[in-house]
Amino acid sequence: VASPDANNALDVRANGIYATDDQNAVEVAFTATGNTTSTDVQSAIVELQTDIDGFAATAGQTNTASNEGAGGVGVFARKTGANLEFKNINAGSNRVTITDDAVNDEIDININEANLSIGATQVSITDTGNNFTGGTVEAALEELATATDNDTQYTAGNGLNLDGSNEFTAVASPDANNALDVRANGIYATDDQNAGEV
């Protein structure tokens, strides 16, 4: 033993004599630098690890998150300490469903068709013939309900006519050439009998 206090020894081998030293980190001197104050390697390691643990617990790494993309709404909210905080995805009404698909690591967004309610005022029409002044189904139906029929001739079977005076004439008996004359003030039976029919 060359130095029992330092636990140093001489190792005598066939090819020579060797000095051995089993120093540990406490026995290795360290020159403090930067913010460190330790004077041996073991203390310096403990000091650095304590700083690392404290840094991670209070501030996290010097990074952040951001929302990418040209449109839409981002889900990143803020960073608090070591915690990156994100917004929840919420359905604005019962017309939309939000499902946490944990198996596939997905958030599924779908339409709840049972809760969709679209009125006639919400459906637009393309009026290529310029027949209506309104642009929705509701407006078109209202215009149709109050519209005046200007057609002058209708034919059903042997004849249903609307003449220029807006009077309908319906043939009652095609064989006898009898007819019903529908006018604004009533229904009239007409007959063009000749002398042979009397």
Side-chain angles (χ1 to χ4, degrees):
V1 176
S3 175
D5 296 332
N7 201 23
N8 295 329
L10 292 177
D11 186 10
V12 181
R13 302 179 187 177
N15 59 349
I17 299 174
Y18 299 87
T20 61
D21 187 353
D22 62 351
Q23 284 180 316
N24 55 39
V26 174
E27 298 172 332
V28 179
F30 173 78
T31 301
T33 182
N35 295 324
T36 60
T37 59
S38 301
T39 58
D40 64 77
V41 171
Q42 180 62 39
S43 297
I45 292 173
V46 172
E47 184 179 352
L48 291 174
Q49 185 61 55
T50 301
D51 289 344
I52 291 171
D53 292 342
F55 176 75
T58 58
Q61 297 179 347
T62 54
N63 57 16
T64 185
S66 60
N67 299 305
E68 301 295 331
V73 176
V75 296
F76 176 63
R78 69 193 64 84
K79 179 180 178 182
T80 301
N83 187 38
L84 296 176
E85 299 174 350
F86 296 88
K87 303 173 186 176
N88 287 340
I89 298 176
N90 178 54
S93 71
N94 63 1
R95 299 179 183 88
V96 179
T97 60
I98 308 293
T99 304
D100 182 7
D101 185 354
V103 174
N104 297 309
D105 290 331
E106 297 174 344
I107 299 174
D108 297 331
I109 303 174
N110 209 339
I111 300 297
N112 188 350
E113 296 182 7
N115 292 332
L116 291 179
S117 177
I118 301 175
T121 57
Q122 298 172 283
V123 182
S124 300
I125 62 172
T126 301
D127 183 14
T128 56
N130 296 321
N131 298 309
F132 304 102
T133 58
T136 66
V137 170
E138 179 69 22
L141 291 174
E142 290 177 358
E143 290 185 41
L144 288 173
T146 58
T148 300
D149 193 338
N150 295 319
D151 288 343
T152 58
Q153 183 70 34
Y154 293 87
T155 301
N158 290 304
L160 175 62
N161 301 322
L162 177 65
D163 60 25
S165 301
N166 289 330
E167 295 180 351
F168 278 103
T169 301
V171 176
S173 173
D175 296 333
N177 202 22
N178 296 328
L180 291 177
D181 188 10
V182 183
R183 304 179 186 180
N185 59 347
I187 300 176
Y188 300 87
T190 62
D191 188 351
D192 60 351
Q193 288 177 318
N194 55 39
E197 297 173 326
V198 178

